[in-house]
Amino acid sequence: MLAVAMVVVLGAIMSILDVTVVNVALRHLSEDFKTDLATIQWVATGYTLALATVIPVTGWAASRFGTKRLYIISIILFVAGSALAGTAWDAPSLIAFRVLQGLGGGMIMPAGMTILTQAAGPQRVGQVMSIVGIPMLLGPILGPILGGYLVDDVSWRWIFYINVPIGAVAVVLAARILKKDQPGKGEKLDFLGLVLLSPGLAALIYGLATGAEKNDFARPDVLATTVGGAVLVLLFALHALSKRNTAPLIDLRLFKRRSVAAAAGTMVLFACAFFGAMLILPLYYQSIRHQNALHAGLLLAPQGFGAMITMPVGGKLTDKLGPGKVVLVGLATVVIGVAAFAMQITPDSSFWGLGGALFVMGMGMGMTMMPTMSAAMQTLQHAEVPRASTGLNIIQQVAGSIGTAFIAVLLATQLKDRGLPSGGDQAQQAAAFAKLPPETLAQVPHKMADAFQTTYWWSAALLLLAFLPALFLPRSKPENPAADAPMPMH
């Protein structure tokens, strides 16, 4: 079991780290290719949209071709995209290779979760989810550190080349360690569902990201993209719930179960509040505390240490006591950590005090995110896991995008209310700050800190709402009724 977990974590941490590592390098890429930041931003956006496009098909592909085969193919695609991205000669070629990376990266996480969940069974799914959560929590923390080092001291090309040896090892280990599963013979692709959901998710996420970047969701192009994506997703939901649809791309009927619905609701609110708040955390250290990307990443490390301590414990407690009790304690701990961080946000607050708050925050994360996922997985049959895993990954992806957009716009609004520049890249903001009157310029650090503080209080309030669905999570040790017994994939 540990060997299987090692293979899955190796692939997952490679794909998740890649997102934050690349974000650190965007300015360097803009300078190297002599193009503007708006163009080079597609290096990140293209990857995200490829992820959103391919995730919906993962559940069907796992059932049709087998999870082992799908997992290996997804890693090969990701590594091929990485190797090509490292050789990119201009911005368009890099964007194209990043899309190829995203097509592989989008399948790695749901396929890996399916492999682990099916191998563990309902009695050990809590421990399994805690293992899967390690790369999800450490990626945003280690990414800026690794990216800052490679970009500043080596070459931006190595943020892609580094994936090649890791991926090669992951493929070899997966081929040797993972058990061969029996692919389905008559599994048909829900083509209409794919046509609705994949472009719908891509449009919705792109609209949210663009609206947050421009700080204007009312722009005709942003509004059309966001609403159009939401309509396609809604049409997919109606199609998936239709009685005539016996094999939907994502089985939304699973969310009629109390534990799955409660887990999804908790995950949406938690991801909206937490991932959005984490996005602006490096910005606080860089903009107000004047730390570079590497130092900002190091200052985020206490959060990862906190999660590393509680995540294994949270997984074991989930299997022994039930996820509901663990998640409620975890949420309370996260709220305390976010509140403690918010209270300390000033232009000169102690890094030790902030680190302590981040450590508490990380401890809460370790007892919240993956136990919530476990609550959904514990009640599923063996054959239901692939589509449920895909559905939960989609929910997390969309909720994270919504939270990122909400927090980004909220921070921009807070800055604007205090008479501070809130849009454009760093060069544009620097030029705008230079035009401020001297008396206003002297107050900039305090006003910025106040804007960040208010934004974090909103994040804490949103986290409190997550308690409502969390109250409906199972609070007893998972049983193993006949309905949940492992069964061969059809």
Side-chain angles (χ1 to χ4, degrees):
M1 185 63 205
L2 286 176
V4 174
M6 180 182 67
V7 173
V8 172
V9 168
L10 196 60
I13 199 166
M14 178 179 62
S15 62
I16 293 173
L17 265 176
D18 188 77
V19 177
T20 47
V21 167
V22 170
N23 286 342
V24 172
L26 290 179
R27 180 166 292 278
H28 292 79
L29 292 170
S30 175
E31 295 171 355
D32 198 57
F33 290 135
K34 295 180 175 57
T35 187
D36 56 52
L37 282 173
T39 299
I40 212 67
Q41 182 66 37
W42 276 95
V43 171
T45 304
Y47 181 86
T48 302
L49 295 183
L51 246 66
T53 302
V54 77
I55 286 176
V57 80
T58 307
W60 168 81
S63 298
R64 179 65 181 84
F65 302 109
T67 49
K68 176 179 179 177
R69 188 182 303 174
L70 178 67
Y71 188 68
I72 292 174
I73 290 172
S74 64
I75 293 178
I76 291 173
L77 275 176
F78 183 84
V79 171
S82 299
L84 290 170
T87 66
W89 53 91
D90 57 15
S93 65
L94 180 57
I95 293 167
F97 297 144
R98 283 284 287 167
V99 169
L100 178 61
Q101 255 193 312
L103 294 177
M107 295 186 289
I108 289 176
M109 197 65 188
M113 284 177 57
T114 298
I115 290 169
L116 275 176
T117 304
Q118 291 178 334
Q123 296 294 325
R124 292 191 297 169
V125 74
Q127 295 180 55
V128 164
M129 286 297 108
S130 68
I131 294 170
V132 176
I134 292 174
M136 296 178 69
L137 295 180
L138 294 185
I141 297 166
L142 296 179
I145 299 174
L146 180 61
Y149 167 73
L150 291 175
V151 169
D152 292 338
D153 299 332
V154 187
S155 166
W156 66 261
R157 297 184 183 276
W158 275 96
I159 65 177
F160 301 112
Y161 287 147
I162 196 171
N163 293 323
V164 176
I166 298 174
V169 172
V171 168
V172 171
L173 292 178
R176 291 186 176 184
I177 293 174
L178 299 183
K179 292 183 178 179
K180 186 177 180 180
D181 48 355
Q182 185 65 36
K185 299 297 183 183
E187 195 74 29
K188 293 182 179 180
L189 175 63
D190 178 12
F191 184 75
L192 177 58
L194 179 62
V195 169
L196 291 171
L197 187 56
S198 286
L201 284 174
L204 179 60
I205 291 173
Y206 175 71
L208 291 169
T210 306
E213 179 189 346
K214 305 294 184 184
N215 193 23
D216 184 6
F217 285 93
R219 283 171 47 123
D221 56 335
V222 173
L223 193 61
T225 306
T226 307
V227 173
V231 169
L232 287 175
V233 172
L234 178 60
L235 289 175
F236 166 77
L238 296 175
H239 165 71
L241 293 172
S242 171
K243 292 182 179 179
R244 292 175 298 175
N245 193 350
T246 56
L249 192 66
I250 306 296
D251 192 356
L252 297 183
R253 298 179 186 91
L254 295 175
F255 292 90
K256 292 181 179 180
R257 301 182 190 179
R258 172 175 161 173
S259 58
V260 180
T266 305
M267 189 184 303
V268 165
L269 291 168
F270 179 80
C272 281
F274 200 84
F275 291 137
M278 289 305 99
L279 173 76
I280 64 171
L281 191 52
L283 189 61
Y284 162 74
Y285 282 120
Q286 291 176 299
S287 299
I288 301 178
R289 306 309 296 271
H290 307 296
Q291 303 295 311
N292 60 28
L294 177 60
H295 290 161
L298 290 170
L299 288 167
L300 297 179
Q303 187 183 87
F305 293 138
M308 287 171 62
I309 291 173
T310 58
M311 192 170 284
V313 177
K316 291 181 179 179
L317 290 177
T318 295
D319 292 335
K320 289 183 179 180
L321 305 176
K325 297 174 183 176
V326 179
V327 171
L328 289 174
V329 173
L331 279 174
T333 307
V334 171
V335 171
I336 291 171
V338 172
F341 189 85
M343 286 189 290
Q344 298 181 71
I345 294 180
T346 66
D348 54 3
S349 49
S350 166
F351 286 137
W352 287 101
L354 293 171
L358 288 174
F359 181 78
V360 173
M361 220 185 292
M363 291 178 67
M365 282 172 57
M367 293 187 291
T368 300
M369 193 161 66
M370 300 322 292
T372 299
M373 193 81 77
S374 302
M377 294 296 189
Q378 283 175 346
T379 60
L380 299 176
Q381 295 180 7
H382 190 79
E384 294 172 331
V385 170
R387 282 187 170 84
S389 173
T390 300
L392 290 169
N393 271 275
I394 289 173
I395 288 172
Q396 184 174 303
Q397 184 84 17
V398 173
S401 298
I402 293 172
T404 297
F406 171 74
I407 294 296
V409 170
L410 182 60
L411 177 61
T413 302
Q414 295 297 322
L415 291 169
K416 187 177 180 180
D417 289 346
R418 290 161 177 79
L420 301 176
S422 58
D425 57 36
Q426 292 181 3
Q428 292 171 326
Q429 287 187 343
F433 277 124
K435 297 177 182 178
L436 294 175
E439 60 274 12
T440 304
L441 197 59
Q443 293 297 316
V444 163
H446 295 279
K447 288 185 176 183
M448 289 185 70
D450 188 49
F452 273 87
Q453 187 175 63
T454 303
T455 303
Y456 269 91
W457 281 121
W458 274 97
S459 178
L462 194 57
L463 281 167
L464 286 174
L465 291 178
F467 277 94
L468 296 177
L471 291 172
F472 295 94
L473 293 173
R475 298 193 200 178
S476 58
K477 180 180 178 180
E479 298 180 1
N480 193 16
D484 292 339
M487 54 187 293
M489 297 179 69
H490 61 289

